[in-house]
Amino acid sequence: MSRPGASPIPIAMNAIIHPFPPPAEAGTAPREAVVTFAGVEKTFRPRQDAPAVAALQGIDLSVMRGSILGVIGRSGAGKSTLIRLVNGLERPSAGRVTVDGTDITGLSERQLRAVRRRTGMIFQHFNLLSSRTVFDNIALPFEIAGTARAEIARRVDPLIELVGLGDKRNRYPAELSGGQKQRVGIARALATQPTILLSDEATSALDPETTRSILELLATVNRELGLTILLITHELAVVRSVATDVAVMDQGRIVEEGTALSVFSRPRHATTRSFLAGEGGWSLPAFLDGKLLAEPRPGAQAVMRIVFYGPHATDPVLSQLAREHLLDINIISGAVETIGGKPFGTLLVSLPGDARTLRETSAFLGARGLDTEVIGYVP
């Protein structure tokens, strides 16, 4: 039986836990990196006579064991190049890439094959073989390794159940939906008992409801099997849904990184803020667009952004503030959600714009661990 809050995967997870290392208990040991990028550069030369193009510049990044690291960036930011360095499909022009303690930078192709067996990969377009059933697609890595047929069945059937396709065992890809095809891809990636699972825009071709179900499956795999996941996407909602850690890429560089909660609650870089620009509590509603003033004027209202997280995220702090300081506070826009399993929200409010009120309001909310920012004034 799955524990409360787990995704409704129709199998007892302990049926397949044994191939994977058990999840680490919180606080029992320091976090260790499964993958590290140290000073990594990658340049491409489209033609011999053309100038080199820098795809990655000065990448220093660690993927911690048991985490889901979401790497987010727009097209051309270098995300796919980054993930292809982990399984050796690309070689760095400079720097080192280490996977589970092995520096793979200078490995031969034969040596890289052993690394790839410990690195599962799921793709945007599934990459299933149309002439093979669900069972046979998942069995392919075992067949390549020369595993006996009886052993293949013993290993594949629990994976089929894990991804919720027990009734599709003998179906072909043409008979499956997009979400079911991706579940086959996930099961196939898990077949080799990988150290890390790489996801390259794995939900980009799926509708929102199917995307949610696939992300729930990935979260379950991470939580129940302790499997580290490196997830590449251009969609903020994907990272926000499942990532424990986040790295933001722009023009081949990591411009911001940290826990998902810290990055989304205190975005520092303009690229991160641009991803959040369409979110409630971060963007100004249309009726205020163009009316915001940079400096206060007599009688103007201040527009303040309040970021809620931590132990007081669900406390009725605004009603307490209004009551204790006799303030009229107007909520302009906002959003409340969960990031990394913790409540998180942003609100845009307006309140009297005099310096004393703003100082007292910031102190009141800051004492409760909430962040505030005055973003402008309106008449």
Side-chain angles (χ1 to χ4, degrees):
M1 179 180 295
S2 62
R3 64 193 187 198
S7 301
I9 304 302
I11 186 174
M13 294 297 297
N14 60 11
I16 64 159
I17 282 180
H18 63 277
F20 295 86
E25 293 294 331
T28 58
R31 299 177 80 196
E32 62 172 330
V34 176
V35 176
T36 58
F37 300 86
V40 169
E41 311 268 342
K42 178 63 181 179
T43 57
F44 294 99
R45 194 177 295 276
R47 301 187 314 275
Q48 190 170 7
D49 59 341
V53 176
L56 297 175
Q57 305 177 65
I59 300 294
D60 293 300
L61 182 67
S62 296
V63 185
M64 308 310 291
R65 190 174 302 280
S67 70
I68 301 179
L69 173 61
V71 178
I72 186 169
R74 295 188 172 81
S75 296
K79 308 183 302 298
S80 293
T81 302
L82 182 79
I83 204 170
R84 288 168 63 85
L85 290 173
V86 178
N87 54 16
L89 295 178
E90 297 286 355
R91 305 272 188 152
S93 304
R96 292 184 300 107
V97 179
T98 303
V99 179
D100 207 21
T102 300
D103 182 354
I104 70 169
T105 308
L107 297 185
S108 66
E109 188 61 30
R110 181 181 62 82
Q111 292 169 321
L112 278 174
R113 284 197 290 271
V115 172
R116 289 170 186 149
R117 283 194 291 271
R118 306 197 306 270
T119 307
M121 184 90 176
I122 54 177
F123 305 89
Q124 178 180 1
H125 297 295
F126 322 128
N127 287 9
L128 304 182
L129 297 177
S130 60
S131 61
R132 297 176 71 98
T133 65
V134 166
F135 179 95
D136 290 332
N137 265 285
I138 300 170
L140 185 60
F142 295 115
E143 294 177 11
I144 293 173
T147 306
R149 190 70 184 176
E151 176 66 8
I152 290 176
R154 190 183 72 82
R155 301 279 289 277
V156 171
D157 282 332
L159 289 170
I160 294 176
E161 295 293 334
L162 168 65
V163 298
L165 295 177
D167 60 339
K168 302 290 191 294
R169 183 182 189 276
N170 297 314
R171 298 291 183 89
Y172 289 89
E175 302 174 275
L176 304 177
S177 67
Q180 290 167 342
K181 291 175 184 177
Q182 194 57 281
R183 287 172 181 269
V184 177
I186 292 171
R188 182 182 58 191
L190 295 176
T192 58
Q193 305 169 23
T195 300
I196 186 169
L197 181 63
L198 307 179
S199 171
D200 189 5
E201 300 279 9
T203 60
S204 294
L206 305 176
D207 62 79
E209 183 177 352
T210 304
T211 292
R212 282 193 297 272
S213 72
I214 294 299
L215 293 177
E216 288 171 2
L217 175 57
L218 290 178
T220 299
V221 167
N222 168 259
R223 181 175 61 248
E224 301 290 351
L225 306 184
L227 183 61
T228 307
I229 299 175
L230 175 57
L231 185 149
I232 300 296
T233 184
H234 65 277
E235 299 174 282
L236 178 65
V238 170
V239 174
R240 191 175 53 207
S241 295
V242 296
T244 58
D245 301 299
V246 175
V248 182
M249 291 194 71
D250 185 45
Q251 297 182 354
R253 298 182 182 275
I254 303 291
V255 296
E256 190 160 0
E257 63 176 301
T259 66
L261 189 60
S262 67
V263 169
F264 290 137
S265 63
R266 296 179 176 177
R268 302 184 305 274
H269 195 272
T271 299
T272 312
R273 287 177 171 263
S274 70
F275 274 110
L276 292 166
E279 303 290 300
W282 288 99
S283 59
L284 277 176
F287 71 87
L288 281 182
D289 192 27
K291 298 180 180 179
L292 203 65
L293 307 173
E295 300 295 333
R297 292 182 183 176
Q301 292 273 302
V303 177
M304 176 180 285
R305 179 181 292 117
I306 306 172
V307 180
F308 295 77
Y309 59 94
H312 297 286
T314 57
D315 292 353
V317 291
L318 285 187
S319 62
Q320 293 170 3
L321 173 65
R323 188 169 56 249
E324 293 184 22
H325 291 268
L326 302 177
L327 286 177
D328 288 327
I329 302 174
N330 180 39
I331 296 176
I332 299 171
S333 67
V336 180
E337 53 201 309
T338 299
I339 294 180
K342 299 176 183 178
F344 167 79
T346 52
L347 286 178
L348 280 182
V349 302
S350 64
L351 70 166
D354 60 280
R356 178 180 176 182
T357 296
L358 296 179
R359 185 169 59 250
E360 291 179 350
T361 298
S362 295
F364 180 93
L365 297 174
R368 287 153 181 79
L370 308 185
D371 288 347
T372 60
E373 178 188 6
V374 175
I375 63 173
Y377 302 84
V378 291

